[in-house]
Amino acid sequence: MSEVDQNTGIKIGAIRLSGNVMLAPMAGITDSPFRQLCKSMGAALTTSEMLTADTSLWGTEKSRLRQQWAADEHPKCVQIAGSDPSQMAVAAAQSEQLGADMIDINMGCPAKKVCKKWAGSALLQDEHKVKQILESVVQSVSIPVTLKTRLGWNRENKNILSIAKIAEDSGIQMISIHGRTRCQKYSGDAEYRLIATAKKELSIPVIANGDITDEKKAKQVLDLTKSDGIMLGRAARGNPWVFASVNEFLKTGTFRLGPTLIERKHVMLKHLSLIHQVYGEEVGVKMARKPIGWY
């Protein structure tokens, strides 16, 4: 078994999670219906889709829907993205006022439209700006602030160890690291060596992310990195059962039987029902096409 204690959830500030297997935030994917399903299947933490730090845009339908939460969806972790420290601080403070239990800062998104605004993983090229943003957000709220990031901008500039130290010194209470650079996007294989080094050097929880597809890979990554937990992203699409399977394997070393056809149908219909509850009947039909296709 991994040296990580599977029976004790990670502590983030005053918040104690139920475990250490989490759902990674993904734009266009981790909306309220999907988060609710993954949570019910054993995800210890779910995070909202990336929300712009420009609060003047929060009145749009897209932003409003990204701030939808189920009544029992706790802890509520809101991910914000931007490049202006003051703007990020305001967004964090307003999210707290709206009921967020945690704030996650996005410094990992590789999308061109995000990076060209000097947000997401583009910020890894400017460590001074990283420090300004992290300190500004931490000081603006009374709830825990976490960071989601990558190894660096490109192969020649893997500065995650410096970024991680800045994060810890700034008051960040957990860091999640995707084992690729921005320039890799999702190509090639995730690299875990630097995540392991970051874990050795930090006192805050470190979460490993990237290419964790099943039970064996989850255990392998935990054993290799000694990280406090893992995040599953693309592996959960159409497969929310992966959280129950991974949790079971990490705790007992045994494989959980996959869902039967009846169970799969039940969850698909549950997902469809939640989509219609959140988006309404007309929009829900359109929004359901992608997630139902995953199954």
Side-chain angles (χ1 to χ4, degrees), residues 126-140:
D126 187 344
E127 293 184 6
H128 178 66
K129 178 62 70 69
V130 168
K131 184 174 186 293
Q132 287 181 315
I133 289 174
L134 299 184
E135 290 180 346
S136 183
V137 171
V138 168
Q139 293 166 13
S140 71

Side-chain angles (χ1 to χ4, degrees), residues 17-281:
L17 302 182
S18 60
N20 69 343
V21 182
M22 311 174 195
L23 172 65
M26 294 175 282
I29 296 176
T30 52
D31 60 358
S32 180
F34 188 58
R35 294 196 306 268
Q36 290 180 62
L37 273 184
C38 292
K39 187 78 171 178
S40 71
M41 297 286 183
L45 178 67
T46 63
T47 304
S48 73
E49 296 177 78
M50 179 175 59
L51 187 65
T52 176
D54 185 353
T55 56
S56 70
L57 300 176
W58 283 13
T60 65
E61 184 69 1
K62 183 177 181 180
S63 291
R64 184 188 69 79
L65 289 169
R66 287 190 172 187
Q67 296 178 77
Q68 290 272 3
W69 293 86
D72 59 350
E73 206 176 341
H74 289 285
K76 295 179 180 177
C77 184
V78 175
Q79 187 183 74
I80 58 175
S83 58
D84 180 83
S86 297
Q87 199 175 55
M88 290 282 281
V90 169
Q94 289 197 21
S95 294
E96 181 179 19
Q97 292 171 10
L98 291 170
D101 300 309
M102 295 170 53
I103 300 295
D104 185 61
I105 298 175
N106 184 313
M107 291 190 181
C109 180
K112 184 177 181 179
K113 65 180 181 180
V114 174
C115 289
K116 73 178 183 180
K117 295 180 180 178
W118 209 248
S121 56
L123 288 164
L124 299 178
Q125 299 172 93
D126 187 344
E127 293 184 6
H128 178 66
K129 178 62 70 69
V130 168
K131 184 174 186 293
Q132 287 181 315
I133 289 174
L134 299 184
E135 290 180 346
S136 183
V137 171
V138 168
Q139 293 166 13
S140 71
V141 296
S142 60
I143 55 179
V145 181
T146 62
L147 174 66
K148 181 77 165 62
T149 189
R150 287 183 170 237
L151 299 180
W153 178 253
N154 56 25
R155 183 174 59 184
E156 293 75 29
N157 295 280
K158 294 180 180 178
N159 60 337
I160 182 57
L161 300 181
S162 177
I163 294 293
K165 185 60 178 172
I166 290 170
E168 183 174 53
D169 292 345
S170 298
I172 293 297
Q173 299 198 43
M174 184 179 81
I175 182 170
S176 304
I177 306 171
H178 184 111
R180 288 183 174 86
T181 64
R182 185 272 167 179
C183 289
Q184 282 182 278
K185 295 186 179 179
Y186 296 99
S187 65
D189 296 323
E191 175 190 338
Y192 306 110
R193 178 181 55 85
L194 288 175
I195 300 177
T197 303
K199 172 56 189 171
K200 288 180 182 178
E201 297 187 0
L202 300 179
S203 60
I204 60 175
V206 174
I207 309 302
N209 175 227
D211 289 354
I212 303 174
T213 55
D214 55 28
E215 303 94 327
K216 287 186 176 180
K217 189 61 177 288
K219 183 180 183 301
Q220 176 188 352
V221 171
L222 282 170
D223 286 343
L224 178 63
T225 64
K226 302 298 187 293
S227 59
D228 300 277
I230 54 175
M231 275 189 174
L232 308 180
R234 290 172 290 167
R237 295 178 302 181
N239 183 27
W241 302 274
V242 70
F243 295 99
S245 300
V246 168
N247 280 320
E248 180 73 16
F249 186 76
L250 293 177
K251 289 177 181 178
T252 69
T254 59
F255 288 97
R256 180 187 178 94
L257 291 176
T260 65
L261 186 60
I262 296 299
E263 290 170 332
R264 186 173 293 274
K265 176 184 175 182
H266 173 74
V267 169
M268 287 176 65
L269 292 175
K270 176 64 174 177
H271 198 165
L272 185 62
S273 175
L274 289 170
I275 288 171
H276 283 290
Q277 288 176 33
V278 170
Y279 297 104
E281 183 176 349

